[in-house]
Amino acid sequence: KDNMIEDGVFLNCPKLATVELVGGIHSTVGSLHMESWRNEMMDEINRINQVLPNIQHSQKTGAIQQWMESVIQQLNHYKIEHRKIL
């Protein structure tokens, strides 16, 4: 999952304020065993939309890259914990 977004790709997008995820991540999060895990994942997924409107456009790519890494790491952690319970 490294390098999913090139450095500086959003440099010319000063009005970029939200990110919407598509695909299976919402169903994956919904299938997590504990409600607290689901809530924490949704909070992390939605966090980027609180950050983007408040940073300079030169920082948006880096913020999105860090956020994506955080979401993936957190989701992988909960998936492992979920398997342990099953």
Side-chain angles (χ1 to χ4, degrees):
K1 309 275 180 179
D2 291 337
N3 301 319
M4 290 182 7
I5 295 179
E6 290 182 38
D7 291 338
V9 73
F10 298 114
L11 190 56
N12 293 319
C13 302
K15 294 183 180 181
L16 178 62
T18 61
V19 172
E20 289 186 37
L21 294 179
V22 296
I25 191 163
H26 292 289
S27 62
T28 300
V29 169
S31 69
L32 292 174
H33 184 71
M34 298 189 63
E35 182 178 0
S36 63
W37 296 352
R38 293 189 299 270
N39 291 340
E40 287 177 30
M41 280 304 308
M42 291 309 298
D43 287 345
E44 182 62 17
I45 288 169
N46 293 324
R47 180 179 61 83
I48 193 65
N49 295 327
Q50 304 301 313
V51 171
L52 286 177
N54 300 307
I55 60 175
Q56 295 182 14
H57 67 277
S58 62
Q59 300 172 317
K60 291 183 189 264
T61 301
I64 292 171
Q65 289 169 326
Q66 290 174 355
W67 166 76
M68 288 174 62
E69 185 177 316
S70 175
V71 168
I72 290 167
Q73 288 177 351
Q74 192 170 353
L75 184 57
N76 286 337
H77 168 75
Y78 286 135
K79 285 167 57 175
I80 290 167
E81 294 300 314
H82 181 79
R83 288 186 195 115
K84 287 180 183 177
I85 291 172
L86 299 178

